[in-house]
C-alpha cells in the first residue's frame, strides 16, 4: 500500500513537471523569439550605419562585453557598475553559498577563489543548517503561545486546521508579503517583482534576476546586512513549516499503516481458519479411512475364522 502511495506521488510529480514545462514554454518562448529578432535587427542597423566595422570585430566586442557582464562588471561611456567584491557584497555572497540560494549574479573566477568556495560550502552548509534548525526550535515558543489561544476542544480537527492555517498565514505575512513591500520601496521594483523575489529566495531557487542592494546609495551596506538577517530568519520559519509538513506526512503514513494492519490480520486469521478447517477435514478423512481399514481387517479375520 505504501509503495502504491509513493508511486502515485511520483506520477503526480512527473505530470506537474510536464505541466510546468508546457506553461513556461508557451509564456516565455514568444518573448524570447521577439527579443532575438529585435537584437538581430539592431545589429543589422548598426552595421549599415557603421560599415567601417567588420562583423567579426563587432562580434568580438560584444563577446568581451558579455564576459565582463557575467562577472558583474558593466562599463559604458556614461556609467560604471558598483564594486561587487566589497565586504558587504561578499557577506551576501557568502550567505548565498551556505544557504544554497546561489543567485548566480556573481561567482569566483580565480582558481584560489573557486577552491576556497568549495571548502567554504562543504563546511558552511551543514553549519548554516544546524543554526537554522536551532533558531526554528526557539521560534516555536512564541508561535505556540500564539496558537495556544486558538482552542476548540469540542472540534479537535477544526482546531488543528485553524492552528496550521494561522501558522502559515503569520509566516507568509512576516517573511513574504511585508518584506515585498519594503523591497518594492527600496529597490523600485513592482510589488509583483518583489513578491516574486521573496518567494524565489525563500525557496532557495535563486535565479539571480533580482538581487537586492545592487544600486549605489549611502545605506547600501546596512541594507545588505538587514537582507542577510531577513533570509536567515525566513529560513528558520521555513524549517518549522517543513517540520510541520513532515509530521503531517508521517501521520498520514501511520494512518495508512493502521488501516492496513487490521485487514492483514483479518486475512491471516481467515487463512488460519481455513488451514484449521483443512486440517480437521484431513484428520477426519484419515480417521474414517482407518476405521474402514479396521472393519475390513475384522471382516477378513472373521471370514478366515469361519473357514477354519
Amino acid at each position: 500500500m505504501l509503495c502504491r502511495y509513493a508511486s502515485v506521488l511520483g506520477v503526480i510529480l512527473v505530470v506537474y513537471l510536464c505541466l510546468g514545462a508546457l506553461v513556461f514554454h508557451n509564456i516565455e518562448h514568444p518573448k524570447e523569439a521577439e527579443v532575438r529578432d529585435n537584437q538581430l535587427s539592431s545589429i543589422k542597423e548598426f552595421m549599415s550605419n557603421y560599415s567601417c566595422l567588420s562583423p567579426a570585430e563587432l562580434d568580438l566586442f560584444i563577446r568581451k562585453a558579455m564576459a565582463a557582464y557575467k562577472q558583474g562588471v558593466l562599463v559604458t561611456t556614461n556609467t560604471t557598475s558598483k564594486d561587487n567584491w566589497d565586504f558587504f557584497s561578499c557577506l551576501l555572497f557568502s550567505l548565498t553559498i551556505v544557504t544554497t540560494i546561489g543567485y548566480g549574479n556573481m561567482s569566483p573566477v580565480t582558481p584560489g577563489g573557486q577552491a576556497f568556495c568549495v571548502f567554504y560550502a562543504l563546511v558552511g552548509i551543514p553549519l548554516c543548517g544546524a543554526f537554522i534548525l536551532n533558531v526554528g526550535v526557539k521560534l516555536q515558543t512564541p508561535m505556540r503561545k500564539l496558537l495556544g489561544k486558538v482552542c476548540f476542544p469540542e472540534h479537535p480537527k477544526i482546531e488543528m486546521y485553524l492552528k496550521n492555517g494561522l501558522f502559515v498565514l503569520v509566516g507568509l505575512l512576516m517573511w513574504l508579503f511585508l518584506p515585498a513591500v519594503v523591497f518594492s520601496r527600496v529597490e523600485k521594483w513592482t510589488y509583483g517583482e518583489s513578491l516574486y523575489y521573496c518567494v524565489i529566495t525563500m525557496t532557495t531557487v535563486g535565479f539571480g534576476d533580482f538581487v537586492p542592494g545592487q544600486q549605489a546609495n549611502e545605506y547600501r551596506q546596512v541594507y545588505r546586512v538587514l537582507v542577510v538577517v531577513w533570509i536567515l530568519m525566513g529560513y528558520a520559519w521555513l524549517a518549522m513549516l517543513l517540520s510541520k509538513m513532515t509530521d503531517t506526512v508521517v501521520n498520514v503514513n501511520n494512518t495508512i499503516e493502521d488501516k492496513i494492519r487490521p485487514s492483514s490480520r483479518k486475512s491471516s486469521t481467515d487463512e488460519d481458519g481455513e488451514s484449521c478447517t483443512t486440517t480437521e477435514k484431513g484428520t477426519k478423512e484419515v480417521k474414517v479411512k482407518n476405521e474402514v481399514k479396521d472393519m475390513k481387517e475384522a471382516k477378513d479375520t472373521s471370514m478366515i475364522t469361519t473357514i477354519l
Side-chain angles (χ1 to χ4, degrees), residues 94-106:
S94 300
L95 179 70
T96 62
I97 294 176
V98 298
T99 56
T100 69
I101 296 177
Y103 283 134
N105 64 311
M106 55 187 293

Side-chain angles (χ1 to χ4, degrees), residues 36-294:
R36 184 182 291 108
D37 293 338
N38 292 335
Q39 187 65 21
L40 289 174
S41 300
S42 299
I43 292 176
K44 290 180 180 179
E45 182 180 358
F46 181 84
M47 292 300 299
S48 62
N49 294 331
Y50 301 93
S51 57
C52 59
L53 186 65
S54 66
E57 292 174 340
L58 177 62
D59 184 71
L60 179 61
F61 174 77
I62 293 175
R63 290 183 180 277
K64 287 184 177 180
M66 290 179 60
Y69 183 75
K70 287 182 180 180
Q71 297 182 21
V73 178
L74 178 62
V75 179
T76 65
T77 56
N78 297 324
T79 59
T80 301
S81 61
K82 189 72 175 178
D83 291 341
N84 288 322
W85 293 101
D86 61 280
F87 175 79
F88 292 97
S89 298
C90 292
L91 179 63
L92 183 60
F93 172 73
S94 300
L95 179 70
T96 62
I97 294 176
V98 298
T99 56
T100 69
I101 296 177
Y103 283 134
N105 64 311
M106 55 187 293
S107 59
V109 295
T110 61
Q114 292 172 351
F116 177 74
C117 185
V118 171
F119 172 78
Y120 191 78
L122 292 175
V123 177
I125 291 174
L127 177 62
C128 182
F131 171 77
I132 289 173
L133 289 177
N134 280 276
V135 174
V137 172
K138 296 297 182 182
L139 289 178
Q140 287 182 357
T141 301
M143 288 300 300
R144 285 174 181 171
K145 292 181 180 179
L146 177 62
L147 298 177
K149 297 180 181 179
V150 180
C151 185
F152 293 93
E154 298 179 357
H155 304 282
K157 288 187 177 181
I158 296 177
E159 179 180 344
M160 181 185 66
Y161 292 146
L162 288 176
K163 286 184 177 181
N164 291 335
L166 182 60
F167 174 80
V168 174
L169 180 61
V170 171
L172 292 176
L173 286 175
M174 292 185 63
W175 311 116
L176 292 180
F177 295 119
L178 293 180
V181 175
V182 176
F183 285 123
S184 64
R185 296 291 182 87
V186 177
E187 298 289 343
K188 307 302 179 182
W189 299 336
T190 64
Y191 183 78
E193 292 173 342
S194 300
L195 184 60
Y196 162 80
Y197 162 75
C198 292
V199 174
I200 294 300
T201 298
M202 285 293 108
T203 53
T204 71
V205 175
F207 289 128
D209 46 355
F210 291 92
V211 179
Q214 294 294 97
Q215 299 179 0
N217 54 61
E218 56 181 336
Y219 302 108
R220 184 170 183 253
Q221 291 80 3
V222 177
Y223 173 65
R224 287 203 161 188
V225 172
L226 293 178
V227 170
V228 169
V229 175
W230 165 70
I231 291 176
L232 290 176
M233 298 302 292
Y235 278 6
W237 167 75
L238 185 63
M240 288 194 297
L241 180 61
L242 292 177
S243 177
K244 282 187 171 292
M245 292 176 62
T246 303
D247 294 340
T248 302
V249 172
V250 170
N251 292 333
V252 171
N253 290 335
N254 291 336
T255 303
I256 295 174
E257 289 180 355
D258 292 338
K259 289 182 179 180
I260 295 174
R261 286 172 184 171
S263 60
S264 61
R265 289 176 182 174
K266 184 178 179 181
S267 61
S268 63
T269 304
D270 294 339
E271 291 176 357
D272 292 340
E274 291 178 358
S275 62
C276 291
T277 304
T278 305
T279 305
E280 290 177 358
K281 289 181 178 179
T283 304
K284 289 181 180 180
E285 290 178 357
V286 172
K287 187 176 181 181
V288 171
K289 288 181 179 180
N290 291 333
E291 289 178 355
V292 172
K293 184 177 181 182
D294 292 340

